[in-house]
Amino acid sequence: MLQKDSLLEWRTIYNNVIFGLEIQNIKNKENEKYVNELLKKYNLYEFKDKYPSQLSGGMRQRVALIRTLAIRPKILLLDEAFSALDYQTRLMVTKDIYQILKNEKITTIMVTHDISEGRWQKRQSVGMLK
């Protein structure tokens, strides 16, 4: 997952989320069901027919994460995933994204230059190990 959400502005949220499935030629009923479950679980299902320009920056980042999760990766690399967001949104989205990753039990490697972000993640990781 990159710094910018890289959502395709001409595709709906749902079509953005299934984009990776289409590229990898693994779009099937089972994966589409999983996508819908992720959208519902993380409160984006009601926005599935909207376009990226109709969402807040934080919502766009969650869509980008769900698009990444849709292909069921074993490891997730977050490269400055929150740097494109303003400070307030970053705080909110960081918490949301970490909770999603914890819920989905995805091994994550995060690259960040924000010391507080790294400290927060370290505390979360230590907490998950207990």
Side-chain angles (χ1 to χ4, degrees):
M1 192 169 136
L2 303 172
Q3 294 175 8
K4 297 191 92 173
D5 57 58
S6 301
L7 298 178
L8 303 172
E9 297 295 332
W10 61 91
R11 292 183 72 133
T12 63
I13 298 311
Y14 182 81
N15 287 326
N16 266 285
V17 171
I18 65 169
F19 187 64
L21 299 174
E22 293 171 342
I23 288 174
Q24 293 189 12
N25 201 28
I26 56 172
K27 182 181 163 204
N28 57 39
K29 296 281 185 198
E30 180 184 338
N31 287 334
E32 288 182 85
K33 182 180 175 192
Y34 180 59
V35 162
N36 283 314
E37 288 170 5
L38 287 171
L39 288 168
K40 287 175 186 173
K41 189 174 186 179
Y42 299 113
N43 302 315
L44 289 167
Y45 187 79
E46 67 185 83
F47 300 96
K48 70 183 180 80
D49 296 322
K50 303 284 185 194
Y51 290 88
S53 63
Q54 296 174 294
L55 302 182
S56 69
M59 292 173 78
R60 290 175 65 111
Q61 282 300 101
R62 281 192 288 145
V63 170
L65 178 60
I66 291 170
R67 177 185 57 203
T68 302
L69 295 175
I71 61 170
R72 302 175 197 248
K74 291 187 180 5
I75 297 175
L76 184 62
L77 174 62
L78 299 178
D79 180 17
E80 292 282 342
F82 313 118
S83 66
L85 302 173
D86 65 77
Y87 184 73
Q88 285 296 100
T89 304
R90 180 186 296 194
L91 291 176
M92 184 179 67
V93 171
T94 301
K95 195 172 184 179
D96 286 347
I97 299 261
Y98 288 139
Q99 191 59 51
I100 292 169
L101 295 172
K102 183 177 176 183
N103 291 346
E104 300 304 317
K105 298 179 176 136
I106 302 287
T107 299
T108 305
I109 299 170
M110 185 171 113
V111 175
T112 183
H113 291 96
D114 183 335
I115 292 171
S116 64
E117 211 169 70
R119 284 184 190 151
W120 193 89
Q121 176 58 24
K122 184 176 180 182
R123 286 194 304 269
Q124 291 300 311
S125 297
V126 170
M128 288 188 283
L129 294 174
K130 291 181 180 178

